[in-house]
Amino acid sequence: MNAVAKDSPNPWNALASQNPVVHFIDVCLRGAGQVMFQNNPLTGLFFLVGIFWGAYSAHMISVGIGAVLGTIMGTLTAYALRAPRENINMGLHGYNGILVGCALPTFFAATPLLWGYIVAGSIFSTVLMMAVSSMLRTWKVSAMTGPFVITTWFLMLAAYNFGNIQIISLPHPAISVQPAASDLFALNMEQFWRAAFAGVSQVFLINNVITGILFLIGLAVSSIWAAVFAFVGSIIAICTALILGGGSTAIIAGLFQFSAVLTAIGLGTTFYNPNWRVVCYTFLGTVFTVVAQGALNVLLNVYGIPTLTFPFVVAAWIFLLPNIDLLPKNYQS
Amino acid sequence: MNAVAKDSPNPWNALASQNPVVHFIDVCLRGAGQVMFQNNPLTGLFFLVGIFWGAYSAHMISVGIGAVLGTIMGTLTAYALRAPRENINMGLHGYNGILVGCALPTFFAATPLLWGYIVAGSIFSTVLMMAVSSMLRTWKVSAMTGPFVITTWFLMLAAYNFGNIQIISLPHPAISVQPAASDLFALNMEQFWRAAFAGVSQVFLINNVITGILFLIGLAVSSIWAAVFAFVGSIIAICTALILGGGSTAIIAGLFQFSAVLTAIGLGTTFYNPNWRVVCYTFLGTVFTVVAQGALNVLLNVYGIPTLTFPFVVAAWIFLLPNIDLLPKNYQS
Amino acid sequence: MNAVAKDSPNPWNALASQNPVVHFIDVCLRGAGQVMFQNNPLTGLFFLVGIFWGAYSAHMISVGIGAVLGTIMGTLTAYALRAPRENINMGLHGYNGILVGCALPTFFAATPLLWGYIVAGSIFSTVLMMAVSSMLRTWKVSAMTGPFVITTWFLMLAAYNFGNIQIISLPHPAISVQPAASDLFALNMEQFWRAAFAGVSQVFLINNVITGILFLIGLAVSSIWAAVFAFVGSIIAICTALILGGGSTAIIAGLFQFSAVLTAIGLGTTFYNPNWRVVCYTFLGTVFTVVAQGALNVLLNVYGIPTLTFPFVVAAWIFLLPNIDLLPKNYQS
């Protein structure tokens, strides 16, 4: 959340401060980076490359296009609604849009209506970002990826009511029953590492080891600790899910890890100065995120929609509320 | 929200300021008008006539009686709980009660227990109005019809647990599945106009063209813009639902429109001074309300209860929170 | 909520103020007492005896052990998180932990994982207590047993997703359908009185008449009015459930009463000075709690989890928000 643009007089920042087109690209890239709390255009570039690689590998290039479209629309909406310029410049009005743009083509068929849905969704995610931020400012807590999640849930739920929105990959709505007990050592080494990297790539709804590595490099160029917490968070989540008996298929696909990755970065590096108490607290929050992932899976199975990053949002809100005096002053729209 | 009683020295207001019975009738009529944001007893009278016409036409006169009973009990409760007099006088403690009184006889059989349920529900809706207003005051947002919705949901849900409350017309609880794609031109002209007026009448849970016209006249006597936004909001909602593929039966019955009607009046005329930015923002909010209607339909299908006006409440809260400095000072209990 | 430790110079308090071990035991006992709003170690002792009696009678001694473990862990966590000492000393960080410790062995098999779950749950309940209190401080309302409920819900829901947590007695997840009408005089006298006492004992998830009597004695040593309101609250809840048509099996087991008992004590004796308006308001709140119990039963049936004390939490929040100026200053973490 450092205001890099002001501080470091590197050529890119100099260019961005003069040329409005470069400035807009800079803001959009920072929006991509803010998904994992990094106010850094180079991080955002690595994230975009990772998204396009994952989308290309899965033959779903519409995910990459959606990501770009969502970021641009979300950011433009913030200008139109006259959000504070310092928030826009930090990318705080792009990160929900990029996630909406990744999520919708993942779950819906690429019909013309999809693109309208992405445009409307990313516009709405910015309205919601301003609404949620306005509420949470009372407690000095930020909106996290809540606006993305709520926007996407609304659109997904609506798809079960409106026949012209074509679902391709949402889970079948069903009442949950308890699964069979599962083995603590269900993963071999290759699966374990695959799960660790997929847990990072799934932050943008992509199941791809190389994308995960690109995301970690993107984090490291901004903050080495962010990369460390992200990767260790993914590993803690795998272990927690194995102990509790999450299915190995879901773990290998990264589905118990991506929210925990965000919690680990968020609690560990962004909001608090790291020390051993912060490490313990972050560990607790990361483990809780996995339990919350399981609980929210059950809540949403009935509706046939995924949790997205809401386990992280819940964990971050709960674990940040008690110690709000430790929050840095400059993170909050 | 203008304090008409103080400002205009017409005979009715003069009478209301002297005679306590007339004053109470005045307050109850304003309560009816406040369902669509009009602090105007004549508007409330048109609304009541519309309700009785619709109830009579559907052979459910208990809906009309419930409406009167709910308004009176809700308002009396506010006196007993010592709510601020200026709020009571504006009708802000009658509009939830009238809606509770319309809703319960629509869904439950007219047994003796129903009348106890209406009395208890309208009392509780006033407690909830004060509770929700107390919370939302933090963000200078008003309770909208939230207290009505939450009260009625509680009573409906409880009916699935308590055998002595006889359900007559709640939907069968079921998990939603996606409907078939539907035709963009599914309505003929007559159906289209029927849908436009029924969308207005359904604000009070009534499916009746003449009632819709009476409601629009009631709006027009207070504010011509309110009537225009209401009707245009209904038409926008029809178009949105057709594009997304909402079923034509539901559209003709007004079920995708009534919340959008309230959003259009609320965002367009009540809280903001109208200008082209407000018109765009209202359009966005109205379209979103239809999506929210679809999403909430799916959420509540599992429980076999209707959304009531909650899509409007959600839309109004989300779209009013970001720009709270534009809210007039005098609207808020 | 009186700071008994400071005021009364009895031998126990003198000892507690000198010996840190006795002080910790004192704080834990007060935590037990705070479940029913009593800042009194003797009350807490009666509650613990009642819990162990009920657990022993039902051959589920793990419930008693869980209660002790949960209280200790919840309280220790508050020290570790540097919660305000005056709150810890009043037992405000023990009452959620004791309930978590009672609930989990009731619903899950006593495997080694259960104890880890109780430890993690009671730690988390304290984090959540601080988070919820931080939010609700805005409106001068306290967290009630909300942190216990939310913690336990998360863990229960997660059990439907994780195979290694063995469920023994959660209800089967199912969509609710309306039950048959039931008789107003379904209970005989013996069943009625059994229901009245079981309603009190079920506050700690125990269905046992003697436990109910021990709890009432525990209340009476702290406040005779608290005992009276608790018992009368249980009776009002029985009558309300009979009129509405709740099933007699559930009523005899105390399942419609325990939340109403807490509402009656909470609204009647703890937060407001008792007078006839308070009595009426408390009656209204108690009746509403039974309706909320029915509504929440339906909401949660789909997930196969119980309401726990959430009907009370909802009722207390709603009924305390409108009149927040009547709250005593010293109850709030």
Side-chain angles (χ1 to χ4, degrees):
Chain A
M1 306 298 139
N2 309 309
V4 176
K6 285 182 192 162
D7 302 342
S8 33
N10 67 40
W12 173 261
N13 291 341
L15 196 62
S17 66
Q18 287 165 1
N19 184 322
V21 174
V22 177
H23 177 69
F24 186 74
I25 294 171
D26 177 75
V27 166
C28 285
L29 289 175
R30 287 173 194 274
Q34 285 285 12
V35 171
M36 301 202 209
F37 309 105
Q38 308 307 314
N39 178 16
N40 186 311
L42 187 57
T43 302
L45 186 62
F46 271 101
F47 286 3
L48 267 181
V49 172
I51 291 168
F52 270 94
W53 172 261
Y56 173 79
S57 304
H59 307 292
M60 292 182 68
I61 200 67
S62 56
V63 169
I65 300 168
V68 173
L69 181 62
T71 319
I72 291 172
M73 290 309 301
T75 305
L76 287 179
T77 306
Y79 285 108
L81 295 178
R82 297 181 193 150
R85 279 297 162 98
E86 63 270 26
N87 293 344
I88 299 177
N89 289 345
M90 288 166 71
L92 293 182
H93 289 293
Y95 73 83
N96 286 294
I98 195 172
L99 288 169
V100 169
C102 283
L104 297 183
T106 304
F107 299 109
F108 298 120
T111 62
L113 197 54
L114 172 68
W115 305 105
Y117 228 42
I118 293 174
V119 168
S122 47
I123 290 173
F124 179 68
S125 76
T126 293
V127 175
L128 199 54
M129 176 68 183
M130 294 175 73
V132 174
S133 298
S134 165
M135 286 189 74
L136 295 180
R137 198 177 295 128
T138 311
W139 303 289
K140 301 197 184 89
V141 171
S142 58
M144 310 293 160
T145 52
F148 148 63
V149 173
I150 297 168
T151 300
T152 310
W153 278 351
F154 264 112
L155 299 178
M156 285 175 172
L157 287 170
Y160 284 103
N161 198 88
F162 293 118
N164 294 346
I165 304 161
Q166 211 179 316
I167 296 171
I168 50 170
S169 75
L170 286 176
H172 189 72
I175 289 179
S176 295
V177 291
Q178 201 182 26
S182 78
D183 186 3
L184 192 56
F185 302 99
L187 303 188
N188 62 34
M189 265 300 122
E190 192 216 316
Q191 290 171 322
F192 186 90
W193 293 114
R194 166 170 286 282
F197 288 106
V200 177
S201 71
Q202 283 282 14
V203 169
F204 284 90
L205 298 103
I206 287 166
N207 178 5
N208 188 299
V209 169
I210 291 171
T211 298
I213 292 170
L214 286 166
F215 287 178
L216 288 171
I217 295 171
L219 284 173
V221 300
S222 170
S223 153
I224 192 76
W225 280 113
V228 170
F229 271 92
F231 196 62
V232 174
S234 186
I235 289 171
I236 292 171
I238 294 171
C239 297
T240 308
L242 284 172
I243 291 170
L244 294 173
S248 56
T249 313
I251 297 173
I252 294 169
L255 298 179
F256 282 111
Q257 294 100 288
F258 63 93
S259 277
V261 164
L262 288 172
T263 303
I265 309 173
L267 294 183
T269 73
T270 310
F271 301 108
Y272 294 119
N273 295 318
N275 58 45
W276 74 267
R277 292 185 78 231
V278 165
V279 168
C280 289
Y281 201 62
T282 302
F283 175 78
L284 196 64
T286 306
V287 170
F288 168 71
T289 305
V290 178
V291 176
Q293 178 73 55
L296 288 163
N297 284 345
V298 172
L299 275 182
L300 299 180
N301 272 353
V302 174
Y303 300 111
I305 63 172
T307 65
L308 304 172
T309 54
F310 207 66
F312 150 65
V313 175
V314 167
W317 285 344
I318 291 175
F319 279 77
L320 290 173
L321 274 168
N323 289 297
I324 49 174
D325 52 330
L326 294 178
L327 275 172
K329 290 282 184 291
N330 62 344
Y331 183 86
Q332 185 52 45
S333 72
Chain B
M1 304 300 136
N2 308 310
V4 176
K6 285 181 191 162
D7 302 340
S8 32
N10 68 40
W12 173 261
N13 290 340
L15 197 60
S17 66
Q18 286 165 1
N19 184 322
V21 174
V22 176
H23 177 69
F24 186 75
I25 293 171
D26 177 76
V27 167
C28 286
L29 290 175
R30 287 174 194 272
Q34 286 285 12
V35 170
M36 299 202 208
F37 310 104
Q38 308 306 315
N39 178 16
N40 187 312
L42 188 56
T43 302
L45 186 62
F46 271 101
F47 286 4
L48 267 180
V49 171
I51 291 168
F52 269 94
W53 174 262
Y56 173 79
S57 304
H59 306 292
M60 292 182 70
I61 199 68
S62 55
V63 169
I65 299 168
V68 173
L69 181 61
T71 319
I72 292 173
M73 289 309 301
T75 305
L76 287 179
T77 305
Y79 285 108
L81 296 178
R82 297 180 193 149
R85 279 298 162 97
E86 65 270 27
N87 293 344
I88 299 177
N89 290 345
M90 287 165 71
L92 292 182
H93 289 293
Y95 74 82
N96 286 294
I98 195 173
L99 288 169
V100 169
C102 283
L104 297 182
T106 303
F107 299 109
F108 297 120
T111 63
L113 197 54
L114 171 67
W115 304 105
Y117 227 45
I118 293 175
V119 169
S122 48
I123 290 174
F124 179 69
S125 76
T126 293
V127 175
L128 199 54
M129 176 68 184
M130 293 174 75
V132 174
S133 298
S134 164
M135 285 188 74
L136 295 181
R137 196 177 296 127
T138 311
W139 303 288
K140 302 197 184 89
V141 171
S142 59
M144 311 292 159
T145 52
F148 147 63
V149 173
I150 297 168
T151 299
T152 310
W153 279 351
F154 264 112
L155 299 178
M156 285 175 172
L157 286 171
Y160 284 103
N161 197 87
F162 293 119
N164 294 346
I165 303 160
Q166 212 180 314
I167 295 171
I168 50 170
S169 75
L170 286 176
H172 190 70
I175 289 179
S176 295
V177 291
Q178 200 181 28
S182 78
D183 185 5
L184 192 56
F185 303 98
L187 304 187
N188 62 35
M189 265 301 123
E190 193 217 316
Q191 290 170 322
F192 186 90
W193 294 114
R194 166 170 285 282
F197 288 106
V200 177
S201 71
Q202 282 283 14
V203 169
F204 284 91
L205 298 101
I206 286 165
N207 178 5
N208 188 300
V209 170
I210 290 171
T211 298
I213 293 169
L214 285 166
F215 288 177
L216 287 170
I217 295 170
L219 284 173
V221 300
S222 170
S223 153
I224 193 75
W225 280 113
V228 170
F229 271 92
F231 196 63
V232 174
S234 187
I235 289 171
I236 292 171
I238 295 171
C239 298
T240 309
L242 285 172
I243 291 170
L244 293 173
S248 57
T249 313
I251 296 173
I252 294 168
L255 299 180
F256 282 110
Q257 295 97 289
F258 63 93
S259 277
V261 164
L262 289 172
T263 303
I265 308 173
L267 294 183
T269 72
T270 311
F271 301 109
Y272 295 118
N273 294 319
N275 57 45
W276 74 268
R277 291 186 79 233
V278 165
V279 168
C280 289
Y281 201 63
T282 302
F283 174 78
L284 196 64
T286 307
V287 170
F288 168 71
T289 305
V290 178
V291 176
Q293 179 72 56
L296 288 162
N297 284 345
V298 172
L299 275 181
L300 299 180
N301 271 354
V302 174
Y303 300 110
I305 62 173
T307 66
L308 305 172
T309 54
F310 207 66
F312 150 65
V313 175
V314 168
W317 285 344
I318 291 174
F319 279 78
L320 290 173
L321 274 168
N323 290 297
I324 50 177
D325 52 330
L326 294 178
L327 275 171
K329 289 282 185 291
N330 63 343
Y331 183 87
Q332 186 52 45
S333 71
Chain C
M1 305 300 138
N2 308 311
V4 176
K6 285 182 192 163
D7 302 341
S8 33
N10 68 40
W12 172 261
N13 290 340
L15 197 61
S17 66
Q18 287 165 1
N19 184 322
V21 174
V22 177
H23 177 69
F24 186 74
I25 293 170
D26 177 75
V27 167
C28 285
L29 290 175
R30 287 173 196 273
Q34 285 284 12
V35 172
M36 298 202 209
F37 310 103
Q38 308 306 315
N39 177 17
N40 187 311
L42 188 55
T43 302
L45 187 62
F46 270 101
F47 286 4
L48 267 180
V49 171
I51 290 168
F52 270 94
W53 173 261
Y56 173 78
S57 304
H59 306 292
M60 292 183 69
I61 199 66
S62 56
V63 170
I65 299 168
V68 173
L69 182 61
T71 320
I72 293 172
M73 289 309 301
T75 306
L76 287 179
T77 305
Y79 285 109
L81 295 178
R82 297 181 192 149
R85 278 296 163 97
E86 64 271 25
N87 292 344
I88 298 177
N89 290 345
M90 288 166 72
L92 292 182
H93 289 294
Y95 74 83
N96 285 295
I98 195 172
L99 288 169
V100 169
C102 283
L104 296 183
T106 303
F107 299 108
F108 297 120
T111 62
L113 197 54
L114 171 68
W115 304 104
Y117 227 43
I118 293 175
V119 169
S122 47
I123 290 173
F124 179 68
S125 76
T126 293
V127 175
L128 199 53
M129 176 68 183
M130 295 174 73
V132 174
S133 298
S134 165
M135 285 188 75
L136 296 180
R137 196 176 296 126
T138 311
W139 303 289
K140 302 198 184 86
V141 171
S142 58
M144 310 293 160
T145 53
F148 147 63
V149 173
I150 296 167
T151 299
T152 310
W153 278 352
F154 264 113
L155 299 178
M156 285 174 171
L157 286 171
Y160 285 103
N161 198 87
F162 293 119
N164 295 344
I165 303 161
Q166 213 179 314
I167 296 170
I168 50 172
S169 75
L170 287 176
H172 190 72
I175 289 180
S176 295
V177 292
Q178 201 181 27
S182 78
D183 186 3
L184 193 56
F185 302 99
L187 304 187
N188 63 34
M189 265 300 123
E190 193 216 315
Q191 291 171 321
F192 186 90
W193 293 114
R194 165 170 287 281
F197 289 106
V200 177
S201 71
Q202 282 283 15
V203 169
F204 285 90
L205 299 102
I206 286 165
N207 178 5
N208 188 300
V209 169
I210 291 171
T211 299
I213 293 170
L214 285 166
F215 287 177
L216 288 170
I217 296 171
L219 284 173
V221 300
S222 169
S223 154
I224 193 75
W225 279 113
V228 169
F229 271 92
F231 196 62
V232 174
S234 187
I235 290 170
I236 292 171
I238 294 170
C239 298
T240 308
L242 285 172
I243 292 170
L244 293 173
S248 56
T249 313
I251 297 173
I252 294 168
L255 297 180
F256 282 111
Q257 295 98 289
F258 63 92
S259 276
V261 164
L262 288 172
T263 303
I265 309 173
L267 294 183
T269 74
T270 310
F271 301 109
Y272 294 119
N273 295 318
N275 57 45
W276 75 268
R277 292 185 81 233
V278 166
V279 168
C280 290
Y281 200 63
T282 302
F283 174 78
L284 196 64
T286 306
V287 170
F288 168 71
T289 305
V290 178
V291 175
Q293 178 73 55
L296 287 163
N297 284 345
V298 171
L299 275 182
L300 298 180
N301 272 353
V302 174
Y303 300 110
I305 63 172
T307 67
L308 304 172
T309 54
F310 207 66
F312 149 66
V313 175
V314 167
W317 285 344
I318 291 174
F319 279 78
L320 290 173
L321 274 168
N323 289 297
I324 50 176
D325 53 330
L326 294 177
L327 274 173
K329 291 282 185 292
N330 62 345
Y331 184 87
Q332 186 50 45
S333 72

